[in-house]
Structures are given as structure tokens and as C-alpha cells.
């Protein structure tokens, strides 16, 4: 019996031993376990990152070769560290710091020791690398931006951080990833898939040949080329016009929702964030607290919409039957509603109906329309909820869902909002009357205003704004072809559009901004501007806002322009709108007088005011400053 038990034990141990060997040889030889096998060295072959083209097929982003010095800490043998540092143009302190970081990542796995060698440095160093065991050079690609525009749209790539590595197992230390713009939004399409070659090592950590004759090796899969909706010529022209100004331009094709131009001013050359100087340049841009070039003004600047919002006040009132196009209001230069002081109006006074209420931007008319819309209901909460639903149907008060990774919701208040705001007070339409002229608690971003105008141009619908037009061997997401309908009946848009068209008429607020042969519909706007100086709230010169679409029938472009501290709407933003529309529709500029004016005058002196520690005026319309005058004054101040 004892012999039988011993024999059984030997058989059982043998079966377990053979089973384990079988498992290790057959099932544990998969690609994932190879990462953890110290006897196998994996060398990655990085794919070509996808190219980026504009809507007309012009190349915007390509690749250029780059070389990284890689290190496997366990493989390092003794060598002349000073000589090595001299070749890499670093000091021994940097050498020790970089090596420590590599060891912390993994003593056995390769990681980037020094990135972005130039072709010249690579050629010189390649001949000498055999002297420095544990180090080797790996080729990969850097971006090459073909034009010096569109940095906020294109974004940039940089080395992954630990959070990104944990989030996506595809990435290893030293890999690059899209950090902003389309480089981030379409990272998976653009990056491709790394190839890998695996080598067997002996007990001295020397390569002794391909692992399993290359059974688990893979070839790199190139990234997909993409075409974006941006018109490179229009983008370049918009950035040209926004010199010496802070703000944003958003232009959309109404019938598709494609973003034609997304200007953030001031901008920067996207090639500044490529290569070994990227970190230094990024820090410089980040520290510019006056112009904030890394902040996309078209997507992130949240502000009061001002008078362009009156179009939605009119549409909501028409839909609710609170007014019709013949409803009239007698404006005396102010709107009296029982408050401590009346709401002022600069329309010139007189009888206003819907058409000239829009074209002359009469505050009294729209205060009356808003009040009637809310007061139609038994209580203000119900009225505000209905009103809020209409406004939000134009894409305001929420994220639009576009394919860039940044944005803000803005704010469209409803009844619950004001119940919180006034918990012990019976509020009504007159309490919140400033909403009627695009002030008060209403906040929007420029892209929301551009989308609003696209919906009006389409007579009641819009497509989600988006930047992607085509992906190689793929389709764009269906959400960008879904038609969003507003809550306003189509019939109510025509009288409002006629009013917007008459803004450019002889008695409208943009009468001097016509473009020959193009029927433009637009609306001037001015938004109050506040900041904190030494903890105290101070008013600055107003923001200049303008929204428009053209042509009036079969519109091809809808846009919104924000020029910070730009005085009233027609002064800067309105002029830029005319030029952008003419450039896109005709391809050339006839209004050279407007173009010269825009390029002659600067707003830098306005942006300096909060930082000079001196008293200043606001909205000093009589005191414009040319670029030459500003530069001369700045030189004197610095002496």
C-alpha cells in the first residue's frame, strides 16, 4: 500500500510538472507576458503619424525625423560619463537626474533618456554609441507645421505623463501623445500602432537573436490622414486681422456645421511647441498673463452676449405670441419699469417695431418683448422655464458637443435659478429685465454665438459644430450629421432676418460696413467688461461683439467675433466681420479702407491699463491709438 501511495505521488508530481511546462511554453508565450520577461528585449518601431489637411486639400501638418537616446539601466557598463555628457550637450547633474528617472521607471525596460536629437547630432553621435553600453538611439517622428497659423486648432504633441500611461496601456514612458486641439481629439486615428521586434537575451543580458524567429514581432501601422473643416486661407486672414488685439473669431458653414475658421488672438507659431525647445517656449507662452495665448478665446471666453442676444428675445416672444412684427413701442431714450432707475437706450428715440427695433438695437423694444413673454404665464417661474427652453434650443447654456476637448457651458437661467438667487423675494420679469438686452445672468462663448447665427441663417436648425471633415478609410461620427431643431416655428425667422439685414441699411447700426455684392445679415453688440485690480472690481473698456451670416439667402458662412476692450460692436468686431465674409465668399477684399483701418489701430494700450498702476479712462472712443503711437509710447515707458 505504501509503495502504491509513493508511486501515485510521483505520478501526480510528474503530471503537475509537465502541465506547468506546457502552460509556460504554450499559453504564457503570448505578447502581453513578453513585456514582463527580463530575458526578452522589446524594440519598438514607431509609425508615421497621420498628416492633416485643410478643407481644400492643403497640407497643414506633416512629420519630420527625430531621434531619441534610449536607456536600459541594467545594461549600463562603465564608460566615460563626461565624454557622453559633452556629446549630448548636458552636464553630469542632468545625466544623474535623467538616469534616476529611468531607473525609477524600470531597471530592465528601455525608456527615453534624451529626446529630440537633431539630424546633425544624430549623425555625429551614431558613430560613437557603441562606446556607451546600455544606451541606443531610436528614431521617431516630430510634427512639422506647414503654416504659422492655427495653433489653437492643431494643438501639439508631447511626452505622455504617468496619468496618461495608467489610463491607456498602449503608451509607455517616453511615448508621445496629442495634448491639445485636433492632435488630442483625434489621437487614436493619428497615432497609428507601434510595431515591435523582440530579441532573446542570455544571462549576460546580451542579444542572442530574434525571439522565437520573430513569431511575436509586428510591423507598425501608420496613422490615418485626416482632413479638417478649417479653410487655411480664411484662418490665416483672420489671425492677420486680429494682430494687436485679444479675442476670437468663429466661422461656421450653416448647412453642415463645419467650422471654417477658429481664431484665437493673439496666437503663436505652432512650431514653437516642437522639439527640445518646446518646454522653454511653452513656459514663456503660459506666463503671458496679459494676452493668454494658450487660452482659446473662441471656445473658452465666457461673456455677456450683449445686443446679438436680442434676436433670440424676439424669436421667443414671437413663438409665444407675446408680440408680432407690427407690435410697436414708443422709445424715449430709456425704458421705465418701476426700478430705481430706467434702462437707458441709444437708438435715437422714436416708435419701434420689430424691424427697426433690431436694426437700431432698441433696448426699450426688447425689454418690452421679454417682459411680455414672461408675464404671459401665471407666475414668473413658469414663464422663465418656457423662455429658457426656447433659448437653450439654439445650443446656448450647455456644451455644444463639438470635437475639440475644451469649452464652457455658458449660462441661460431658468425659474429654479432665480428662486435660488432670490430665496426671500418675489421676483418677476422686471427684476431680471437686463436679460432682455443680453446682460444680467446670461453668459455665452463665441462659438455658441456663431452656432446661434447658423441656426437663424438656417431658419430654425443647426448641426453640431465640428472640426473633422474626413478620416482616411473611416467615417466621421454620425452626431455631426444630426439636425438639431429649435423650438421656434420657421415662419418667425423671416421678419427677424429682415431686421438683421437692415442693420446694414442706411439707418442701421452697421450702415458703413457693407460689402459690395453681398447681402449680409448681422447684429452689433457691446458687452460690459470688469476685472479685479488689487482686490477691487473695476470696469474696463467694453468688449466689441458682432454676429453675422451671409448671403441672406442660401447662407455660406455664419460667424461671431469678440474683440476684447474693443469699444462698441461696429468699431472693431463689425469691421472684421465684413472682411472675413468678403474674404470667404469672394476670395478677395474690396473694402481696403476697412482693412487698413483695422490694421492701423491697436488695442494694446487698453490691455495694459490694469497693469500700469495708473488711473485710466474707459470707453474713451475719441482716443484711438495707432500701432506706431503705441510702440513709441511703450519705448518711452521702458526707458
Amino acid at each position: 500500500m505504501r509503495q502504491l501511495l509513493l508511486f501515485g505521488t510521483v505520478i501526480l508530481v510528474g503530471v503537475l510538472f509537465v502541465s506547468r511546462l506546457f502552460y509556460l511554453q504554450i499559453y504564457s508565450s503570448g505578447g502581453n507576458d513578453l513585456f514582463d520577461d527580463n530575458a526578452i528585449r522589446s524594440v519598438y518601431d514607431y509609425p508615421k503619424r497621420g498628416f492633416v489637411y485643410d478643407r481644400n486639400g492643403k497640407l497643414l501638418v506633416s512629420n519630420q525625423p527625430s531621434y531619441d537616446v534610449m536607456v536600459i539601466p541594467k545594461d549600463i557598463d562603465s564608460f566615460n560619463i563626461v565624454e557622453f555628457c559633452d556629446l549630448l550637450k548636458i552636464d553630469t547633474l542632468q545625466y544623474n537626474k535623467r538616469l534616476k528617472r529611468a531607473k525609477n521607471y524600470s531597471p530592465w525596460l528601455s525608456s527615453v533618456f534624451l529626446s529630440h536629437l537633431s539630424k546633425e547630432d544624430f549623425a555625429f553621435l551614431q558613430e560613437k554609441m557603441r562606446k556607451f553600453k546600455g544606451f541606443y538611439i531610436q528614431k521617431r517622428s516630430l510634427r512639422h507645421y506647414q503654416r504659422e497659423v492655427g495653433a489653437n486648432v492643431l494643438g501639439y504633441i508631447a511626452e505622455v505623463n504617468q496619468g496618461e500611461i495608467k489610463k491607456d496601456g498602449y503608451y509607455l514612458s517616453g511615448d508621445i501623445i496629442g495634448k491639445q486641439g485636433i492632435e488630442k481629439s483625434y489621437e487614436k486615428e493619428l497615432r497609428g500602432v507601434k510595431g515591435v521586434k523582440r530579441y532573446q537575451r542570455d544571462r549576460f543580458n546580451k542579444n542572442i537573436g530574434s525571439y522565437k524567429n520573430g513569431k511575436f514581432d509586428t510591423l507598425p501601422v501608420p496613422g490615418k490622414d485626416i482632413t479638417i473643416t478649417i479653410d487655411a486661407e480664411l484662418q490665416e486672414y483672420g489671425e492677420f486681422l486680429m494682430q494687436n488685439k485679444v479675442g476670437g473669431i468663429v466661422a461656421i458653414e450653416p448647412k453642415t456645421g463645419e467650422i471654417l475658421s477658429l481664431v484665437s488672438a493673439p496666437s503663436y507659431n505652432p512650431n514653437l511647441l516642437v522639439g527640445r525647445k518646446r518646454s522653454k517656449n511653452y513656459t514663456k507662452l503660459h506666463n503671458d498673463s496679459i494676452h493668454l495665448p494658450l487660452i482659446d478665446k473662441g471656445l473658452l471666453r465666457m461673456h455677456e452676449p450683449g445686443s446679438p442676444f436680442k434676436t433670440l428675445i424676439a424669436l421667443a416672444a414671437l413663438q409665444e405670441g407675446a408680440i408680432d412684427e407690427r407690435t410697436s413701442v414708443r422709445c424715449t431714450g430709456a425704458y421705465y419699469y418701476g426700478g430705481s432707475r430706467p434702462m437707458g437706450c441709444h437708438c435715437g428715440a422714436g416708435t419701434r417695431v420689430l424691424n427697426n427695433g433690431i436694426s437700431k438695437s432698441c433696448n426699450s423694444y426688447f425689454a418690452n418683448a421679454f417682459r411680455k413673454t414672461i408675464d404671459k404665464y401665471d407666475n414668473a417661474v413658469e414663464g422663465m422655464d418656457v423662455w429658457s427652453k426656447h433659448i437653450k434650443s439654439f445650443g446656448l447654456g450647455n456644451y455644444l458637443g463639438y470635437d475639440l476637448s475644451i469649452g464652457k457651458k455658458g449660462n441661460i437661467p431658468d425659474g429654479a435659478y432665480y428662486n435660488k438667487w432670490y430665496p426671500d423675494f418675489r421676483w418677476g420679469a422686471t427684476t431680471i429685465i437686463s436679460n432682455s438686452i443680453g446682460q444680467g445672468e446670461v453668459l455665452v462663448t463665441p462659438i455658441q454665438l456663431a452656432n446661434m447665427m447658423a441656426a437663424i441663417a438656417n431658419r430654425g436648425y443647426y448641426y453640431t459644430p465640428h472640426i473633422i471633415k474626413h478620416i482616411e478609410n473611416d467615417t466621421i461620427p454620425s452626431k455631426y450629421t444630426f439636425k438639431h431643431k429649435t423650438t421656434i416655428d420657421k415662419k418667425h425667422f423671416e421678419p427677424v432676418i429682415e431686421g438683421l439685414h437692415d442693420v446694414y441699411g442706411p439707418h442701421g447700426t452697421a450702415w458703413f460696413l457693407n460689402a459690395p455684392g453681398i447681402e449680409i445679415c448681422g447684429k452689433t453688440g457691446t458687452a460690459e467688461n470688469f476685472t479685479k485690480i488689487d482686490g477691487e472690481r473695476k470696469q474696463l473698456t467694453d468688449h466689441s461683439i458682432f454676429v453675422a451670416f451671409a448671403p441672406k439667402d442660401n447662407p455660406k458662412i455664419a460667424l461671431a467675433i469678440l474683440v476684447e476692450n474693443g469699444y462698441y460692436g461696429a468699431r472693431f468686431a463689425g469691421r472684421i466681420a465684413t472682411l472675413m465674409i468678403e474674404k470667404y465668399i469672394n476670395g478677395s477684399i474690396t473694402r481696403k479702407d476697412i482693412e487698413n483701418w483695422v490694421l492701423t489701430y491697436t488695442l494694446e494700450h487698453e490691455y495694459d491699463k490694469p497693469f500700469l498702476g495708473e488711473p485710466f479712462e474707459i470707453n474713451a472712443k475719441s482716443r484711438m491709438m495707432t500701432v506706431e503711437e503705441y510702440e513709441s509710447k511703450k519705448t518711452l515707458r521702458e526707458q
Side-chain angles (χ1 to χ4, degrees):
M1 183 68 182
R2 187 175 298 175
Q3 286 181 334
L4 187 62
L5 181 62
L6 180 61
F7 178 76
T9 302
V10 170
I11 293 296
L12 179 61
V13 170
V15 169
L16 290 173
F17 183 72
V18 171
S19 299
R20 181 60 179 166
L21 279 176
F22 179 80
Y23 174 80
L24 290 171
Q25 289 293 317
I26 303 301
Y27 290 102
S28 294
S29 297
N32 290 336
D33 294 313
L34 300 181
F35 289 111
D36 302 319
D37 194 334
N38 295 329
I40 299 167
R41 177 189 173 197
S42 297
V43 177
Y44 293 94
D45 189 358
Y46 285 85
K48 174 187 82 73
R49 196 169 175 89
F51 286 9
V52 180
Y53 298 87
D54 91 328
R55 67 187 295 109
N56 299 311
K58 294 176 181 175
L59 181 62
L60 299 178
V61 189
S62 60
N63 299 312
Q64 56 182 314
S66 173
Y67 306 91
D68 293 346
V69 177
M70 308 295 291
V71 62
I72 304 175
K74 273 288 186 181
D75 290 356
I76 295 176
D77 206 347
S78 60
F79 59 80
N80 189 329
I81 293 176
V82 174
E83 179 189 3
F84 186 60
C85 289
D86 288 343
L87 288 170
L88 296 182
K89 300 173 183 175
I90 62 175
D91 56 35
T92 54
L93 188 65
Q94 289 175 302
Y95 171 87
N96 291 327
K97 183 178 179 181
R98 291 171 185 272
L99 186 57
K100 182 181 179 182
R101 185 178 66 178
K103 287 179 179 178
N104 288 339
Y105 172 68
S106 172
W108 298 94
L109 299 177
S110 64
S111 59
V112 176
F113 181 80
L114 185 66
S115 60
H116 309 323
L117 291 181
S118 67
K119 286 186 286 186
E120 294 76 20
D121 288 341
F122 165 70
F124 182 70
L125 189 61
Q126 188 181 31
E127 300 175 1
K128 303 178 182 292
M129 284 303 290
R130 58 184 175 77
K131 298 167 61 176
F132 310 110
K133 291 183 178 180
F135 293 88
Y136 67 96
I137 294 178
Q138 180 167 273
K139 181 180 177 181
R140 66 173 81 207
S141 293
L142 284 182
R143 286 313 227 178
H144 182 208
Y145 298 97
Q146 302 290 320
R147 291 172 176 247
E148 296 182 2
V149 298
N152 60 309
V153 177
L154 301 173
Y156 62 92
I157 58 176
E159 191 173 326
V160 291
N161 57 42
Q162 287 302 310
E164 290 161 337
I165 292 172
K166 289 179 181 178
K167 187 177 180 181
D168 189 336
Y170 172 85
Y171 298 102
L172 300 172
S173 178
D175 283 357
I176 56 173
I177 190 173
K179 293 282 189 176
Q180 196 175 344
I182 59 169
E183 296 280 19
K184 180 177 181 179
S185 297
Y186 292 95
E187 163 68 11
K188 288 187 177 179
E189 290 79 5
L190 289 167
R191 76 185 182 192
V193 180
K194 289 177 289 193
V196 62
K197 290 183 179 180
R198 295 184 170 92
Y199 298 93
Q200 186 75 49
R201 294 173 157 195
D202 63 14
R203 61 193 181 92
F204 301 106
N205 286 327
K206 291 182 179 179
N207 289 347
I208 56 175
S210 177
Y211 175 70
K212 288 191 176 294
N213 295 317
K215 178 181 177 181
F216 297 103
D217 292 353
T218 58
L219 293 172
V221 178
K224 296 178 181 180
D225 295 344
I226 66 172
T227 299
I228 62 174
T229 61
I230 293 293
D231 183 313
E233 297 294 331
L234 186 66
Q235 179 76 18
E236 190 169 31
Y237 187 59
E239 292 189 18
F240 175 66
L241 295 175
M242 289 294 287
Q243 293 176 86
N244 305 303
K245 302 164 192 70
V246 173
I249 301 173
V250 183
I252 296 173
E253 184 179 62
K255 67 179 180 181
T256 62
E258 293 178 357
I259 299 173
L260 303 171
S261 178
L262 181 59
V263 173
S264 179
S267 189
Y268 57 91
N269 183 342
N271 287 300
L272 288 174
L273 300 185
V274 175
R276 292 179 70 175
K277 292 184 178 179
R278 189 199 74 82
S279 181
K280 180 181 177 182
N281 290 333
Y282 182 90
T283 300
K284 185 178 179 181
L285 292 168
H286 178 75
N287 290 339
D288 184 350
S289 58
I290 296 179
H291 302 102
L292 302 172
L294 293 175
I295 300 297
D296 193 320
K297 314 300 190 301
L299 303 180
L300 292 174
R301 268 300 195 241
M302 204 161 60
H303 55 86
E304 295 175 345
S307 290
F309 193 68
K310 292 173 181 175
T311 56
L312 297 194
I313 296 295
L315 287 166
L318 287 167
Q319 181 67 29
E320 288 301 307
I323 64 168
D324 60 35
E325 56 188 291
R326 296 178 300 278
T327 300
S328 64
V329 170
R330 178 69 182 170
C331 180
T332 61
Y335 180 72
Y336 295 88
Y337 57 93
S340 57
R341 60 177 183 175
M343 176 190 288
C345 182
H346 304 287
C347 74
T351 300
R352 301 287 175 250
V353 292
L354 179 60
N355 184 279
N356 64 3
I358 293 173
S359 65
K360 289 182 173 291
S361 198
C362 176
N363 287 351
S364 298
Y365 183 87
F366 292 99
N368 179 68
F370 176 76
R371 188 174 178 177
K372 282 188 170 184
T373 303
I374 305 304
D375 289 348
K376 171 187 172 182
Y377 292 88
D378 292 337
N379 62 77
V381 172
E382 184 182 358
M384 269 305 291
D385 285 346
V386 171
W387 177 87
S388 180
K389 183 180 178 182
H390 287 314
I391 304 304
K392 287 177 179 177
S393 74
F394 287 80
L396 276 61
N398 210 336
Y399 298 108
L400 278 170
Y402 49 75
D403 49 348
L404 291 168
S405 61
I406 55 175
K408 288 191 175 179
K409 292 176 65 173
N411 186 52
I412 300 299
D414 57 13
Y417 181 93
Y418 285 114
N419 278 342
K420 272 188 182 180
W421 197 280
Y422 300 108
D424 303 314
F425 177 72
R426 187 176 177 182
W427 58 273
T430 57
T431 316
I432 54 175
I433 200 71
S434 54
N435 287 324
S436 66
I437 58 172
Q439 294 181 12
E441 289 69 55
V442 175
L443 294 172
V444 297
T445 59
I447 194 170
Q448 289 176 328
L449 283 182
N451 186 68
M452 176 192 84
M453 288 307 285
I456 294 172
N458 288 333
R459 280 68 172 173
Y461 68 89
Y462 68 90
Y463 293 97
T464 299
H466 54 281
I467 209 83
I468 192 68
K469 190 171 180 68
H470 175 71
I471 303 171
E472 183 182 7
N473 299 323
D474 206 344
T475 56
I476 69 170
S478 60
K479 70 176 183 176
Y480 300 130
T481 57
F482 177 80
K483 183 186 286 189
H484 299 269
K485 294 182 180 179
T486 70
T487 57
I488 309 300
D489 295 338
K490 185 176 180 180
K491 65 182 180 180
H492 296 310
F493 285 90
E494 290 305 328
V496 171
I497 288 171
E498 285 299 326
L500 293 171
H501 183 245
D502 285 347
V503 167
Y504 286 85
H507 305 293
T509 54
W511 61 269
F512 59 100
L513 297 179
N514 280 295
I518 304 176
E519 286 193 292
I520 307 176
C521 300
K523 186 73 192 75
T524 53
T526 304
E528 290 184 329
N529 176 22
F530 294 88
T531 191
K532 280 192 175 182
I533 302 176
D534 297 328
E536 186 178 348
R537 190 170 186 257
K538 293 278 189 179
Q539 186 170 9
L540 302 177
T541 294
D542 295 338
H543 294 323
S544 174
I545 300 172
F546 202 92
V547 296
F549 67 84
K552 177 184 169 187
D553 299 313
N554 191 26
K556 294 179 172 59
I557 183 172
L559 49 75
I561 296 170
L562 165 70
V563 180
E564 296 184 15
N565 306 65
Y567 305 95
Y568 56 90
R571 174 161 281 205
F572 278 97
R575 285 178 164 97
I576 292 170
T578 295
L579 295 171
M580 290 289 286
I581 288 170
E582 194 174 25
K583 178 71 173 178
Y584 184 68
I585 292 178
N586 292 341
S588 59
I589 301 298
T590 61
R591 291 300 305 268
K592 287 290 183 182
D593 57 323
I594 296 179
E595 184 182 67
N596 290 336
W597 191 97
V598 169
L599 297 175
T600 296
Y601 290 101
T602 181
L603 289 169
E604 292 289 357
H605 60 295
E606 292 288 349
Y607 308 132
D608 288 343
K609 284 178 180 178
F611 301 93
L612 296 178
E614 302 170 359
F616 56 82
E617 291 182 271
I618 64 165
N619 301 324
K621 300 179 179 64
S622 61
R623 185 66 191 104
M624 295 293 292
M625 189 174 288
T626 66
V627 175
E628 286 185 10
E629 287 173 332
Y630 174 77
E631 292 299 332
S632 176
K633 188 174 181 179
K634 183 180 178 183
T635 301
L636 287 173
R637 194 166 63 233
E638 291 173 350
Q639 286 177 349

